Amino acid sequence: MAATSAALASGNATTYRTCPRSGLQFERSAERLMIFNAVTAVVALLVGGILAIGVVLTRWPAVHWLAADTFYMVLTAHGIDMLIFWMIFFEVAVLYFCSSTLLRCRIATPKIAWIAYALMVVGALMNNIDVFRGGSSVMMTSYVPMMATPWFYLGLILFAVGALIACFVFFGTLVVAKRDKTYQGSVPLVTFGAIVAAIIAVFTIVSGAIILIPTFFLAIGWIKEVDPLIYRTIWWAFGHSSQQINVAAHISIWYAVAAIVFGAKPMSERVSRGAFLLYIFFLQLASAHHLLADPGVSTEWKVVNTSYFMYFAVLASMIHGLTIPGAIEVAQRAKGYNKGLFEWLRKAPWGNPTFSGMFISLIGFGFLGGISGVMMGTEQLNLIIHNTIYVPGHFHATVVVGTTLTFMAFTYFLIPVLFKREVISPGLAKIQPYLFGFSMYFFCLVMMGAGTLGVSRRHWDMAFGGAALAYEWPGAAYLMMGLVGIGGIAAITGGALYIYLTVGSILWGKKLDAGVPNPRFTPIPPTAPSAAAQVYGSAGFAAPGTFVLAMVFLLAFILYYFINWKYLAQLWGMS
């Protein structure tokens, strides 16, 4: 007892607290790192969300709010804050959660983890300040020879170095857990998914370094040229793969939510882990769909990547899309919800924002992001919508409906468990995932509709006002873009509600019991709500309702694929 008291009194001692609400055990240093990274992520989301107002109201033809130079500045900052800073800060918190917390061990090298965090914050601030000064409105892709200032590239490089260090701290924590024998057998599936995300992150960051460092040298005058075709090819190895970090991370959270809310185990550990591995092998190659109109890449390379390799990555997502609701169904049926095909789904806790947000995200990611992504990745069909506003319609379905909504849903679990606060305004918390999720469904659909009609991806003025060769769009295109504006404002309202609930809960939510500190990790209590997320095991395949849902998805996929081939045939009439 005296030794325990001495350990707790020591400023450098590793201490753990067991959350009385979840059974999760948080190590002190890892907990603080998770809190700081998650809070910084929400700040980046707030900045990006405010900027989204300018983007939406400018692309809305009836409003057309911002001047051209301001619009491109705002669009650049919005893309980087949302796609890079918000997501990666949150994902670093997820990596520490999936290693230190789920494996019940101390975090490796906490001082180095703080250096990583500091580099990420400095890089994010440097990049944002430079963009807002107005000299680096190059959009997220920043294609050469359109150059930003050196500070723009340096900020991204510093952020990437910090994120890379955080990944290695995560890998080191896995070694600590293995050495200290804090778990039995294989790591939990949620942790395995986080490992996949971290491996993809290392590939992604290295790809970014290969092209952004020479571009930085070009900006400061050390080299004379960066070839644009090489830049685009390598940049998309970085740009598209960064989305796959998001995919692996948010699917890991889907499994975690299923385990925590329902006590669900995966239908098959081996199948789910195999699907995660397919991401490592094939998702980076699927970035070819961004290059299908580029002359610098051979037709053979395009065909192999988009007609073969991409489908292995799609197969992985379809497996997860089947096994996660399937695991929930098996768990619900074990509790007695066996009437018909869908009682298990009707009796799910739809008033719990952690579950509702996750499930809305899962459905939207599959039906909107997944189907449209496969269509975009087919070389012939890609020509219909390449560089149109269909493209951001697709990636809002994957990145916003898929990843952002999942992170929002998981936040409602973390507020009482990690931040030790009660969520304020529980009634608003119940409706927030529905408002944000369904608004984004609508936003993505009408944006993809406008893109199918040919509306350009990034142009400030779709009407090309004042141009010598202005193009007269059909009325439907203007209607679609007006609906994009309405859907965007509704989604921004849902995002603002999330910010209010999150920040308000952390600042003035009721304080909750933190749990008893302990100088070392303790075994997982078998009755802990989080136990299913921390162990290895499979649940079986008795899920007839999920099979029916999978068939509905397959029919939607076939129908949409046929419609686009029909549309392509009408564009290219043959006699």
Side-chain angles (χ1 to χ4, degrees):
M1 187 69 178
T4 299
S5 301
L8 293 174
S10 171
N12 296 319
T14 296
T15 58
Y16 301 82
R17 69 167 183 90
T18 301
C19 171
R21 289 162 295 282
S22 65
L24 292 170
Q25 200 164 49
F26 291 91
E27 189 263 336
R28 183 179 59 185
S29 296
E31 183 176 26
R32 293 184 66 227
L33 282 160
M34 281 184 263
I35 288 172
F36 273 78
N37 277 281
V39 168
T40 309
V42 172
V43 172
L45 178 67
L46 172 62
V47 175
I50 293 171
L51 295 168
I53 299 171
V55 176
V56 166
L57 292 182
T58 304
R59 291 309 303 262
W60 189 345
V63 180
H64 202 51
W65 182 32
L66 300 176
D69 54 349
T70 306
F71 169 75
Y72 290 117
M73 178 190 73
V74 167
L75 181 60
T76 300
H78 168 72
I80 293 174
D81 280 321
M82 292 300 217
L83 288 171
I84 297 181
F85 300 145
W86 143 246
M87 294 196 173
I88 295 181
F89 271 117
F90 200 96
E91 282 157 0
V92 169
V94 169
L95 290 182
Y96 295 154
F97 175 84
C98 290
S99 54
S100 175
T101 302
L102 291 187
L103 299 183
R104 307 173 85 82
C105 71
R106 69 173 180 84
I107 193 167
T109 61
K111 291 181 179 179
I112 294 178
W114 282 113
I115 292 173
Y117 172 76
L119 285 171
M120 292 169 69
V121 170
V122 170
L125 287 173
M126 184 182 296
N127 183 271
N128 268 273
I129 291 169
D130 187 63
V131 171
F132 289 132
R133 289 176 65 187
S136 297
S137 301
V138 292
M139 271 78 70
M140 180 179 165
T141 47
S142 56
Y143 291 145
V144 296
M146 183 171 63
M147 295 298 296
T149 73
W151 298 106
F152 176 91
Y153 304 106
L154 183 59
L156 289 178
I157 291 168
L158 288 176
F159 182 86
V161 170
L164 184 63
I165 293 171
C167 289
F168 285 112
V169 171
F170 165 74
F171 291 133
T173 306
L174 299 178
V175 174
V176 170
K178 185 71 173 177
R179 184 196 63 197
D180 293 350
K181 299 180 180 179
T182 63
Y183 64 93
Q184 302 295 322
S186 299
V187 296
L189 179 61
V190 178
T191 303
F192 186 85
I195 293 171
V196 169
I199 292 171
I200 297 174
V202 171
F203 171 89
T204 301
I205 294 167
V206 170
S207 299
I210 290 172
I211 200 61
L212 287 177
I213 291 175
T215 310
F216 171 67
F217 291 158
L218 176 64
I220 62 177
W222 285 9
I223 61 176
K224 297 294 184 183
E225 181 186 13
V226 172
D227 184 270
L229 286 174
I230 293 176
Y231 179 96
R232 285 172 58 86
T233 303
I234 299 177
W235 194 94
W236 278 112
F238 158 71
H240 191 269
S241 299
S242 64
Q243 162 58 6
Q244 310 325 318
I245 307 170
N246 304 332
V247 171
H250 78 233
I251 288 176
S252 299
I253 292 175
W254 291 350
Y255 280 110
V257 171
I260 292 166
V261 175
F262 298 94
K265 294 181 179 180
M267 299 179 80
S268 169
E269 285 270 1
R270 291 182 178 179
V271 170
S272 294
R273 289 170 190 250
F276 272 122
L277 290 176
L278 287 175
Y279 284 149
I280 296 177
F281 296 141
F282 296 106
L283 267 182
Q284 290 84 358
L285 297 172
S287 63
H289 77 74
H290 294 280
L291 306 169
L292 290 177
D294 280 33
V297 183
S298 71
T299 300
E300 292 79 11
W301 186 84
K302 294 175 184 177
V303 168
V304 168
N305 277 278
T306 60
S307 297
Y308 296 96
F309 290 160
M310 185 185 71
Y311 292 120
F312 285 102
V314 172
L315 174 64
S317 292
M318 293 179 73
I319 289 172
H320 294 306
L322 172 69
T323 59
I324 294 169
I328 294 172
E329 180 177 358
V330 172
Q332 286 284 81
R333 288 185 180 277
K335 296 174 183 177
Y337 300 119
N338 290 305
K339 293 181 181 178
L341 289 173
F342 297 114
E343 186 190 22
W344 64 274
L345 193 56
R346 293 195 309 273
K347 298 293 185 180
W350 292 102
N352 180 345
T354 299
F355 166 72
S356 63
M358 181 278 285
F359 208 83
I360 294 168
S361 169
L362 186 151
I363 297 298
F365 179 79
F367 279 84
L368 297 176
I371 293 175
S372 63
V374 174
M375 199 282 285
M376 287 175 56
T378 303
E379 185 172 12
Q380 299 91 327
L381 297 178
N382 182 272
L383 297 176
I384 303 174
I385 46 83
H386 184 81
N387 216 28
T388 70
I389 204 166
Y390 188 105
V391 179
H394 156 73
F395 66 66
H396 278 80
T398 57
V399 175
V400 183
V401 175
T403 306
T404 292
L405 183 53
T406 297
F407 289 174
M408 288 178 172
F410 199 55
T411 303
Y412 294 113
F413 169 75
L414 292 177
I415 288 172
V417 170
L418 175 62
F419 291 91
K420 305 177 287 291
R421 298 278 183 163
E422 192 173 272
V423 176
I424 63 170
S425 305
L428 290 177
K430 288 181 180 180
I431 68 171
Q432 188 274 327
Y434 295 95
L435 175 60
F436 184 80
F438 291 138
S439 296
M440 284 306 308
Y441 278 20
F442 180 77
F443 177 81
C444 295
L445 281 169
V446 292
M447 188 178 283
M448 288 188 281
T452 304
L453 295 172
V455 177
S456 59
R457 175 178 179 179
R458 288 169 167 166
H459 201 281
W460 163 72
D461 179 13
M462 67 174 284
F464 299 101
L469 298 174
Y471 181 76
E472 185 61 39
W473 295 102
Y478 287 99
L479 173 63
M480 289 291 182
M481 291 305 295
L483 294 175
V484 166
I486 294 170
I489 293 299
I492 291 168
T493 303
L497 185 56
Y498 165 78
I499 297 290
Y500 162 72
L501 291 166
T502 301
V503 176
S505 298
I506 293 171
L507 293 180
W508 60 80
K510 179 184 176 182
K511 290 185 179 180
L512 299 174
D513 179 18
V516 179
N518 196 298
R520 66 186 307 277
F521 72 90
T522 57
I524 304 168
T527 58
S530 62
Q534 297 178 269
V535 296
Y536 182 98
S538 302
F541 289 92
T546 301
F547 179 78
V548 171
L549 292 176
M551 292 300 100
V552 171
F553 174 83
L554 180 61
L555 289 173
F557 179 86
I558 293 171
L559 178 62
Y560 189 68
Y561 217 53
F562 169 79
I563 289 171
N564 278 277
W565 277 106
K566 179 69 174 177
Y567 184 42
L568 179 65
Q570 291 175 335
L571 289 178
W572 289 352
M574 298 181 67
S575 60

